[in-house]
Amino acid sequence: MLFYILKRVAAGAIVLFLITVFTYTVFFVLSPDPAYMICGKTCTPDRIADIHEKLGLDKPFWEQIWIFISGLFVGREYGEGVNAVHCTAPCLGYSFQTSQSVFEMIVQRLPVSATLAVGAAVLWLLAGIGGGLIGAVKKGTWWDRGIMVVALSGISLPNYFVALALQYILVVKLKWLPFPTAVPFADDPLQWFQAYIMPWFVLAFMYAAMYTRLVRANVIDTLGQGFIRTARAKGLDPNIVMGKHALRPALTPALTLFGMDFAALLGGALITETVFGLNGVGKLTADSITQNDQPVIMAVTLLAAALVVVANIVVDLLYSVLDPRVRVKAQ
Amino acid sequence: MSRQKRSKNAPRTGSLKTVSIPIKGSTLLDVENLTVTFPTVRGPVDVVKDSSFRIDPGKTLGIVGESGSGKSMTSLAIMGLLPEGGEASGRIRFFGHDLLDRSDREMRRVRGDKIAMIFQDPLSSLNPYYTVGVQIAEAYRAHRGGSKAAAKKVAVDAMRRVKIADPEQRVDHYPHQFSGGMRQRIMIAMALCLEPDLVIADEPTTALDVTVQAQILDLMKELQEETGTGMLFITHDLAVVSEVADEVLVMKGGETMEHGTAEEIFSNPQSSYTTALLDAVPRITDVVGDIKGVSHE
Amino acid sequence: MSAPASELAGGTRKGALSTLDSGSAPNPVKRVVAALRSTPSVVVSFGWIIFIVVLALAAPLLEQITGISPYAYHENAIDPALGGLPLGQWGGVSAEHWFGVEPGSGRDIFMRIAYGAQVSLTIAVAATIVTTTLGVVFGMLAGFFGGVLDQLVSRLMDFLMAFPALIFMIALLSALPAGNRPLLLVIVLSIFAWPYTARVVRGQTMSLRNGEFVESARASGASPARIAFKEILPNLRGTIIVLSTLSVPQYIGTEAALSFLGVGVIPPTPSWGQMIASSVAWYAVDPMYFVIPGLFLFFTVLSFTVVGDHLQRQLDEGDAA
């Protein structure tokens, strides 16, 4: 088991390394020279060379990669001598726009993305599993059809369109909600809730739609399995057949998928955060892209990739706990 | 679950609890004019037509037929487990009580406890997420109650009876950790742990190797002799039927082609279909006899 | 799309792919025809797809007939006193401007929708063709030959699927020079999406490779290439049709989202996602401006999904029978 985990972690590290190299190449080698970004229009060749030296861009490619990666673990120096700036580990560099530490910027924004992800996840799991179960159990009835129509709409509606429509109806027309302005929970719980309720709903709607379809299909599939017939032939109560024998095989794949989706959302719900002006990692990503703030783009891409890789490992381990067939193989 | 059609003027024979108390002069299972109907786009189709047979305690009836002959639907109709849309009519008397007349709730008390079933593919018939012990014990607990520990002991005993080595350890293993033959032994243990009056075995050896087949058949015969349960043995394999059955019923396209004692059917088949089936089978009885001598699982 | 991209483009991936991983379909063409007749929702969806395709194709013709260009400013249709809001009800709907005009510029929304359909469909269909081709080629190579080749392709797919695709698409598109935007979109979409097709094709090829008819072809001395093209590929037809049908709405959705975020199709070329993006500033006073492109996007994605789902159900039922 330990060997299996180590193997997975090693594989994940290789993927992250490749992504680092790839991303670095695109943003520091192929992109327009970041030095021009920093010093603006009044640039002299001397100044450019200066910046290159300070950022380490004058060094060979693999050395740059090495400095970047070692910066993550032990920190790095920008510049030399008395002017040197020490960037402590984990060092992701400094924003070209605000000169802030990128690591600090991300840490500041994470709580917003986490709040969004957790709230939406609760909603979409409830709706998705509930809807999928009802659809499967009442397969072919009007209940089922109604749920499937809603789910189909959910996966077809662009979430920014839902966000705009919701804001227009609830804020502009009906005036049930004030214009969302995010504040910390401790400052004003009501305003906090009012700011998050629409983004939660918009995100949850889309995921709930996907999960409803998935859960329904899985439950219907499971109910057709031989072991369900065996359970019935044993004279078990229908609730036990459903709750014990059908639910676990049907929901296990959905739960592991949930791990991946949730981790991805922690890395920022780009569109939802942008539309609702929530200052999370997603909005940071969008802003850094428009401003061509390469250290930030680099950092958020790596964060998102790391979250996916870690979630992948966690989900696999979780699967090996939940599914006895995998459990034995992994040992 | 299917809604079984109930004959309207069938007498209510006794209450729920008395299903196992035989009505005087009744036999274990008496099926009369059983017809199973499924709706299709082209109108209703009878997958079992007017089938009648009886099984006495300790005896085995073999139903033989190719796939689609209606043999499995017959067994599911007896269990009250017809797939969605299926309707059964006629009479299925179990110790004189008409099972088609029972509510689903009442049928649940019969299933597993009075009539148990063994299916073809033991891997897909066992839930991969639970240990075999849990799956054997849950039938016992559902019908007899008692503590988990007591039920587990029942499971261990049942596994010992079907000759699974080291049952105390194996009871906590999962289905995929067993071989095909061992899995079928577990299905048999599950079916027999409540000592049912009737066991329905639907192609119990088809998914198994020939050597393992012979072992499972021997085990089933041995256990049947011990407990005296009646058996409905469904198969497409005449050679297998010749091994176990006292009586044989040959089905084709839902209709009964021939019905008689095993001896009659094999020595003097009346229907040309049975003759054709018999001709297609080499003298497997001899082969099985040979194999038994060398078989090890 | 991958998990990170699913914030915008998820939808059909899971259910669709999971059930497709096994089995194949004989004679899908006949079934396609039967599929489209049997249920009204499919017929309506198919009708909408045809409508959108015709609208896209006829856009230049409509421009000539009506004499309204999607780029022309109609200052007589907006009210400068109100900051450029369209004159009249419903965002300026009139006999001349069927869907009204854009606030601020007064450009005709109908013509921009029609040209936007052209852009959307071209990108989505082109990306579907590219990803399907790549997916089938790599999937078949990996599944058919196995061994080292399979290892290489599978690792490449794992790598691409672990990528935060949406973020990277956005970053890549914003870093790349403007150039031919639609072409760039097709390339970027394809890079990250082909593994999803390849994975399914690989699985099916592996199970087909061991099928009896392939054995018999091999026994009769057929070359590997002949077996791949004459025996295996025809059996993948149904799967490929379903996968591509379900890819189109995903790419339409992703293109719209990228354009909404300002890294997709750039103005003045119209795109539905970009129209919604520019409507954000006006949504409170001129809701028609986001409702129209939003509904077009919704109905188009929905229609392709309904048709794709239906084809898949037919395929599954064909397998079960």
Side-chain angles (χ1 to χ4, degrees):
Chain A
M1 194 67 192
L2 188 69
F3 177 72
Y4 175 74
I5 297 174
L6 285 176
K7 216 173 94 180
R8 291 302 315 268
V9 171
I14 292 172
V15 169
L16 283 180
F17 173 74
L18 290 174
I19 289 176
T20 308
V21 173
F22 197 72
T23 317
Y24 196 91
T25 314
V26 170
F27 291 106
F28 284 95
V29 182
L30 301 180
S31 291
D33 192 337
Y36 288 98
M37 284 284 310
I38 296 168
C39 76
K41 279 172 191 157
T42 57
C43 243
T44 60
D46 279 358
R47 180 93 175 84
I48 296 276
D50 211 40
I51 295 170
H52 278 173
E53 201 190 324
K54 195 169 182 189
L55 294 176
L57 294 173
D58 52 343
K59 297 196 171 66
F61 177 74
W62 289 108
E63 203 179 329
Q64 291 184 38
I65 296 281
W66 166 248
I67 292 173
F68 180 83
I69 292 174
S70 62
L72 285 174
F73 297 99
V74 297
R76 66 185 277 194
E77 305 285 331
Y78 284 99
E80 277 165 15
V82 279
N83 295 324
V85 178
H86 182 72
C87 171
T88 48
C91 174
L92 288 163
Y94 296 94
S95 161
F96 288 169
Q97 295 293 328
T98 63
S99 302
Q100 242 188 311
S101 153
V102 175
F103 179 73
E104 274 171 27
M105 287 169 87
I106 290 178
V107 170
Q108 278 169 10
R109 312 289 189 105
L110 266 176
V112 173
S113 290
T115 309
L116 183 57
V118 171
V122 170
L123 287 178
W124 99 59
L125 280 182
L126 286 176
I129 294 175
L133 276 178
I134 295 172
V137 172
K138 298 190 178 287
K139 186 184 165 196
T141 63
W142 286 104
W143 275 99
D144 180 28
R145 278 176 216 187
I147 288 170
M148 289 327 283
V149 166
V150 175
L152 198 57
S153 309
I155 61 165
S156 305
L157 280 165
N159 52 354
Y160 43 94
F161 174 66
V162 178
L164 281 176
L166 211 59
Q167 281 204 50
Y168 180 74
I169 295 167
L170 294 182
V171 179
V172 178
K173 275 283 146 183
L174 300 173
K175 297 192 168 55
W176 287 357
L177 287 171
F179 190 82
T181 322
V183 292
F185 177 78
D187 291 6
D188 185 346
L190 181 67
Q191 200 189 338
W192 172 87
F193 182 76
Q194 285 171 336
Y196 276 107
I197 183 72
M198 283 193 293
W200 279 335
F201 177 83
V202 168
L203 261 190
F205 182 41
M206 186 183 56
Y207 281 102
M210 291 192 265
Y211 279 60
T212 300
R213 284 162 62 95
L214 178 79
V215 168
R216 179 181 178 274
N218 282 357
V219 171
I220 288 173
D221 187 52
T222 309
L223 286 177
Q225 299 279 324
F227 57 79
I228 296 296
R229 194 182 47 185
T230 308
R232 283 181 181 145
K234 278 191 254 187
L236 300 184
D237 186 273
N239 291 325
I240 293 178
V241 174
M242 190 70 196
K244 182 175 175 185
H245 286 276
L247 273 194
R248 214 172 133 187
L251 290 188
T252 304
L255 279 177
T256 55
L257 203 71
F258 170 74
M260 303 286 294
D261 285 338
F262 183 74
L265 272 189
L266 282 183
L270 217 135
I271 293 174
T272 311
E273 287 177 20
T274 311
V275 175
F276 287 104
L278 285 171
N279 243 334
V281 182
K283 183 145 188 305
L284 179 68
T285 308
D287 292 345
S288 67
I289 288 168
T290 18
Q291 296 163 347
N292 214 0
D293 197 344
Q294 280 134 333
V296 183
I297 301 177
M298 186 77 206
V300 291
T301 310
L302 277 184
L303 172 71
L307 284 167
V308 171
V309 167
V310 170
N312 230 319
I313 297 172
V314 171
V315 154
D316 275 3
L317 292 178
L318 200 66
Y319 212 105
S320 69
V321 172
L322 294 176
D323 189 333
R325 286 166 298 184
V326 183
R327 191 184 308 163
V328 175
K329 262 181 226 154
Q331 270 162 359
Chain B
M1 198 69 15
S2 72
R3 212 173 301 132
Q4 300 225 350
K5 195 168 150 192
R6 300 173 207 297
S7 17
K8 283 197 184 87
N9 40 12
R12 296 282 293 172
T13 37
S15 76
L16 180 67
K17 293 214 168 101
T18 60
V19 167
S20 59
I21 298 174
I23 289 176
K24 247 197 174 142
S26 68
T27 185
L28 171 59
L29 186 76
D30 187 358
V31 174
E32 258 178 58
N33 311 104
L34 175 70
T35 297
V36 178
T37 311
F38 277 91
T40 70
V41 252
R42 280 180 237 125
V45 167
D46 293 345
V47 294
V48 177
K49 291 169 202 158
D50 207 19
S51 175
S52 300
F53 54 85
R54 47 185 287 161
I55 300 172
D56 291 316
K59 297 292 182 193
T60 299
L61 169 73
I63 299 187
V64 188
E66 295 165 78
S67 60
S69 61
K71 56 194 196 312
S72 289
M73 285 304 154
T74 307
S75 66
L76 292 177
I78 296 168
M79 293 294 282
L81 288 174
L82 284 175
E84 218 164 308
E87 285 200 353
S89 59
R91 293 264 205 283
I92 298 174
R93 288 207 187 85
F94 182 69
F95 286 127
H97 309 272
D98 192 344
L99 295 183
L100 291 181
D101 201 29
R102 304 279 147 185
S103 71
D104 194 57
R105 196 185 174 75
E106 290 171 312
M107 276 309 288
R108 278 210 297 282
R109 299 228 183 159
V110 175
R111 275 181 225 139
D113 193 0
K114 312 286 176 230
I115 307 178
M117 199 156 173
I118 302 167
F119 294 99
Q120 172 172 353
D121 178 8
L123 181 57
S124 67
S125 299
L126 289 164
N127 192 326
Y129 284 81
Y130 296 98
T131 62
V132 296
V134 166
Q135 295 187 62
I136 296 172
E138 74 180 344
Y140 186 85
R141 290 192 77 202
H143 293 286
R144 307 280 154 85
S147 70
K148 268 192 180 170
K152 190 171 179 179
K153 208 177 152 292
V154 171
V156 171
D157 289 343
M159 285 170 77
R160 189 172 292 122
R161 278 178 74 190
V162 296
K163 303 193 173 77
I164 290 174
D166 204 8
E168 286 86 357
Q169 298 286 317
R170 299 292 263 164
V171 74
D172 289 324
H173 286 187
Y174 290 89
H176 67 272
Q177 292 168 289
F178 291 84
S179 69
M182 284 296 157
R183 280 196 282 264
Q184 198 56 293
R185 283 169 195 262
I186 286 161
M187 286 300 290
I188 295 168
M190 197 184 284
L192 294 182
C193 75
L194 284 153
E195 311 210 318
D197 301 292
L198 175 67
V199 171
I200 301 177
D202 188 351
E203 304 260 15
T205 59
T206 307
L208 306 174
D209 294 341
V210 181
T211 43
V212 182
Q213 253 187 37
Q215 291 168 357
I216 295 291
L217 287 180
D218 281 350
L219 176 72
M220 288 175 74
K221 276 197 288 189
E222 198 184 315
L223 291 171
Q224 190 185 14
E225 270 162 35
E226 253 175 69
T227 57
T229 75
M231 185 151 44
L232 178 61
F233 198 103
I234 291 166
T235 181
H236 68 281
D237 191 340
L238 273 174
V240 168
V241 144
S242 69
E243 282 278 293
V244 293
D246 302 297
E247 271 187 50
V248 175
L249 187 147
V250 181
M251 280 182 91
K252 186 194 178 194
E255 286 181 69
T256 304
M257 305 307 290
E258 190 158 4
H259 185 187
T261 65
E263 217 163 278
E264 284 164 9
I265 299 272
F266 284 103
S267 57
N268 186 20
Q270 298 299 307
S271 127
S272 57
Y273 180 68
T274 313
T275 320
L277 279 183
L278 280 172
D279 287 344
V281 183
R283 294 247 157 266
I284 288 185
T285 32
D286 307 336
V287 180
V288 171
D290 285 348
I291 290 166
K292 259 187 265 170
V294 295
S295 59
H296 299 282
E297 198 173 330
Chain C
M1 285 295 99
S2 73
S6 65
E7 193 207 343
L8 60 92
T12 49
R13 65 188 163 123
K14 292 149 190 169
L17 300 185
S18 62
T19 40
L20 268 175
D21 274 331
S22 59
S24 65
N27 196 1
V29 181
K30 263 187 207 160
R31 228 181 276 143
V32 169
V33 178
L36 298 176
R37 278 198 206 139
S38 54
T39 43
S41 65
V42 179
V43 176
V44 172
S45 299
F46 203 70
W48 176 265
I49 293 173
I50 291 174
F51 166 67
I52 289 296
V53 171
V54 170
L55 184 68
L57 291 175
L61 195 70
L62 285 167
E63 187 183 344
Q64 282 196 337
I65 295 171
T66 58
I68 298 173
S69 149
Y71 307 111
Y73 285 34
H74 299 276
E75 268 156 32
N76 56 347
I78 53 173
D79 186 353
L82 284 171
L85 267 186
L87 287 163
Q89 288 291 304
W90 300 102
V93 171
S94 65
E96 194 184 354
H97 303 293
W98 300 347
F99 288 166
V101 294
E102 284 184 356
S105 65
R107 287 184 295 198
D108 184 75
I109 291 183
F110 176 75
M111 284 315 295
R112 292 187 70 75
I113 287 283
Y115 273 97
Q118 213 174 48
V119 175
S120 267
L121 286 182
T122 310
I123 292 172
V125 170
T128 301
I129 292 170
V130 176
T131 52
T132 306
T133 312
L134 285 176
V136 169
V137 168
F138 280 107
M140 277 183 68
L141 280 176
F144 191 74
F145 291 107
V148 182
L149 194 62
D150 182 29
Q151 282 294 317
L152 276 175
V153 174
S154 296
R155 291 295 82 75
L156 180 62
M157 295 189 328
D158 287 348
F159 173 65
L160 286 172
M161 291 196 281
F163 237 77
L166 175 61
I167 294 180
F168 212 81
M169 279 194 261
I170 297 165
L172 206 59
L173 283 165
S174 72
L176 291 168
N180 184 343
R181 267 342 248 197
L183 181 68
L184 281 179
L185 276 164
V186 171
I187 293 171
V188 170
L189 277 173
S190 303
I191 290 174
F192 291 104
W194 70 264
Y196 296 88
T197 306
R199 189 176 53 177
V200 178
V201 171
R202 173 178 170 271
Q204 293 212 353
T205 306
M206 282 170 85
S207 63
L208 285 171
R209 187 182 59 183
N210 302 321
E212 278 171 28
F213 60 97
V214 173
E215 298 254 298
S216 65
R218 197 174 285 142
S220 68
S223 69
R226 197 187 151 75
I227 293 173
F229 284 101
K230 296 276 169 184
E231 306 293 338
I232 293 182
L233 195 56
N235 278 289
L236 292 173
R237 246 186 329 184
T239 307
I240 296 170
I241 291 175
V242 171
L243 280 180
S244 8
T245 312
L246 288 173
S247 294
V248 174
Q250 294 202 12
Y251 300 151
I252 292 177
T254 311
E255 178 273 313
L258 291 170
S259 299
F260 173 81
L261 289 167
V263 295
V265 179
I266 40 179
T269 312
S271 138
W272 295 346
Q274 181 208 99
M275 287 172 81
I276 300 176
S278 42
S279 77
V280 170
W282 302 89
Y283 84 93
V285 283
D286 185 7
M288 284 300 277
Y289 189 20
F290 78 85
V291 167
I292 288 173
L295 287 182
F296 266 82
L297 200 49
F298 171 49
F299 289 139
T300 308
V301 171
L302 182 72
S303 299
F304 274 104
T305 310
V306 167
V307 171
D309 274 4
H310 196 81
L311 291 178
Q312 171 157 41
R313 251 197 316 275
Q314 298 283 314
L315 191 67
D316 291 349
E317 277 163 20
D319 284 345

